Amino acid sequence: MANLLEAKQVVLPYQRKRAPPFATLPQPLLMNSNANQPFPQNLFRRQDESPDAQFYQVPRFVTHIDEGAITAVTQLYREYFPANGTLLDLMSSWVSHLPAEVAYQRVVGLGMNEAELRANPRLNEYVVQDLNRQPTLPFEAGSFDGAAICVSIDYLTQPVEVLRELGRVLRPEAPLVITFSNRCFPSKAIAAWHALDDHGHLQLVAQFLQAAGNWHDLELLDRSPKPRRSDPLFAVVARAGTPAAK
């Protein structure tokens, strides 16, 4: 199997994103007071609006962040996900980056490519689903003790709906760990992602969660392992439910 440096070169469209300086970004950020449509629809346009199923039909058995960033993701999972819990790996692939020494009762993956999901050794079961076409999750309410979205949040064209669904299928107070770096498939990332820098991405994801309405105790984290020597790694962590539900 190709090593990580080779893997980055395999998928050429997956590139580092250059963004404007944070000081030039509009403040406040993008959310408005319309509860039915909290974000302008043009924020979710993409360079490539062809069907996602077509884009993801060929398996990509590569990693999209380097070893240092992967280690940072795994450490977050170690800190937030309970051992012996039931986890949902949303927008999953052939590897979930869960800590090898921790056992979980059940890990469910939901992603776009069946071959990748089938090859993932941490998944007990998986679902193939295009969240941009169908944001409703096929799980009962309160099914999971934690959920992860790893380097994929920037591809959701209906992120508020998907995150609201995640809040539904997690048990109260269960953690959601959303991680991202400065790499993406630029043709499939939403316009809002291209318009913002790393700090803007943290705030944008936080606003998606706030607009969903069923998350609280948000944490915006910079877990970049080696600045300028490794891929950066950022995270937004939230708890399912509302403060009043505690």
Side-chain angles (χ1 to χ4, degrees), residues 215-234:
W215 299 96
H216 67 281
D217 289 354
L218 272 62
E219 301 175 69
L220 279 61
L221 307 173
D222 183 348
R223 291 295 185 91
S224 301
K226 297 177 181 178
R228 302 182 185 276
R229 290 185 293 163
S230 178
D231 289 340
L233 196 285
F234 304 94

Side-chain angles (χ1 to χ4, degrees), residues 40-225:
Q41 281 302 110
N42 63 355
L43 298 182
F44 304 108
R45 292 177 181 167
R46 300 172 297 171
Q47 297 170 16
D48 178 4
E49 293 289 4
S50 64
D52 289 341
Q54 178 179 320
F55 183 83
Y56 293 107
Q57 66 182 344
V58 177
R60 294 175 172 89
F61 293 106
V62 297
T63 52
H64 300 303
I65 49 178
D66 65 17
E67 272 192 82
I70 289 172
T71 299
V73 172
T74 300
Q75 179 58 30
L76 283 164
Y77 294 168
R78 189 178 285 115
E79 293 173 20
Y80 284 96
F81 293 152
N84 300 313
T86 299
L87 304 182
L88 175 59
D89 184 6
L90 202 67
M91 307 181 78
S92 183
S93 180
W94 67 285
V95 59
S96 291
H97 305 312
L98 292 165
E101 78 281 3
V102 180
Y104 301 98
Q105 180 180 348
R106 178 166 151 259
V107 181
V108 179
L110 186 150
M112 288 287 294
N113 187 282
E114 184 171 10
E116 293 178 6
L117 294 168
R118 195 186 316 122
N120 189 327
R122 294 307 298 264
L123 300 183
N124 300 104
E125 56 190 87
Y126 63 81
V127 176
V128 178
Q129 182 172 324
D130 182 350
L131 293 172
N132 288 338
R133 296 190 64 184
Q134 175 52 274
T136 302
L137 298 178
F139 309 112
E140 297 293 328
S143 296
F144 298 97
D145 301 305
I149 302 177
C150 183
V151 295
S152 298
I153 189 71
D154 44 320
Y155 305 125
L156 288 175
T157 59
Q158 302 181 74
V160 175
E161 291 82 353
V162 171
L163 292 172
R164 188 176 292 130
E165 273 291 286
L166 260 182
R168 178 185 66 82
V169 303
L170 263 61
R171 298 185 176 98
E173 302 300 319
L176 166 63
V177 179
I178 301 172
T179 52
F180 51 88
S181 187
N182 64 348
R183 292 178 174 272
C184 68
F185 294 116
S187 65
K188 283 297 185 180
I190 60 172
W193 203 260
H194 285 288
L196 299 168
D197 69 355
D198 296 327
H199 298 284
H201 295 155
L202 285 166
Q203 295 186 43
L204 179 65
V205 173
Q207 290 194 1
F208 289 160
L209 290 160
Q210 291 165 359
N214 53 356
W215 299 96
H216 67 281
D217 289 354
L218 272 62
E219 301 175 69
L220 279 61
L221 307 173
D222 183 348
R223 291 295 185 91
S224 301

Side-chain angles (χ1 to χ4, degrees), residues 8-30:
K8 285 183 184 176
Q9 297 168 358
V10 170
V11 186
L12 294 178
Y14 204 88
Q15 301 166 356
R16 283 192 174 92
K17 189 189 77 63
R18 295 185 181 275
F22 185 52
T24 70
L25 299 175
Q27 298 294 331
L29 270 171
L30 307 165

